[in-house]
Amino acid sequence: YHCSAMLCSIYFKTGGFALASTGSIIFNVFTSDARIPLEGATVLLRRQDAPREILGIRITNASGQTDPIMVLTKDVSLGQTPESTVKPWVGCAAIIEHPDYERVFLDGIQIFPGIVTLQTVQMVPLRELDPNLDGEQELNFTPQPIWEEQTYD
């Protein structure tokens, strides 16, 4: 194969497909059904397939949004024919964290060449425990009606 040093490096790292295009992704992180923006959430984006390299780490701003993460993708022409067996996207996974919220894991994010992907993420607040209960919580469950005495004819 004849190619420039950079393109050859990309060609062999990706299993033979030259990556001639880029796509990008912006995360919109919020809390509650009211979509309140969440500032200070950390977003880590990595390739879904081996070698699972980290593609970018961003922190959300006051609007709950990250700066774009640029991702090298397969050339757009590779996915434009019905005969093509090449996926026209790069599969990614993300981890979103904030000290006051449950961690979120996303798998199967698709980044397409020439496209800005907007990924929304709803964060769920961590439960606050009563310090007087030492982390214990008493739950009472009512019995299901199937446990009541029944007669069958």
Side-chain angles (χ1 to χ4, degrees), residues 124-142:
V124 176
L126 290 171
R127 289 186 42 164
E128 291 187 19
L129 298 176
D130 184 341
N132 297 324
L133 296 176
D134 294 328
E136 295 180 12
Q137 185 174 8
E138 184 177 327
L139 299 173
N140 294 313
F141 296 95
T142 56

Side-chain angles (χ1 to χ4, degrees), residues 4 18 33 48 75 89 93 107 119 121 125 127 135 144:
S4 70
D33 290 336
Q48 189 166 321
D75 186 76
W89 67 85
D107 252 339
Q119 180 66 55
V121 180
R127 289 186 42 164
Q144 295 295 321

Side-chain angles (χ1 to χ4, degrees), residues 36-85:
I36 299 168
L38 184 59
E39 183 176 12
T42 301
V43 176
L44 180 140
L45 183 73
R46 64 172 173 75
R47 284 196 186 281
Q48 189 166 321
D49 299 327
R52 301 174 78 91
E53 66 185 303
I54 294 175
L55 301 171
I57 299 173
R58 301 288 187 273
I59 307 292
T60 56
N61 60 24
S63 298
Q65 194 170 73
T66 64
D67 288 334
I69 300 172
M70 302 303 291
V71 178
L72 289 174
T73 62
K74 297 175 178 92
D75 186 76
V76 68
S77 65
L78 292 174
Q80 292 185 336
T81 61
E83 303 83 31
S84 178
T85 59

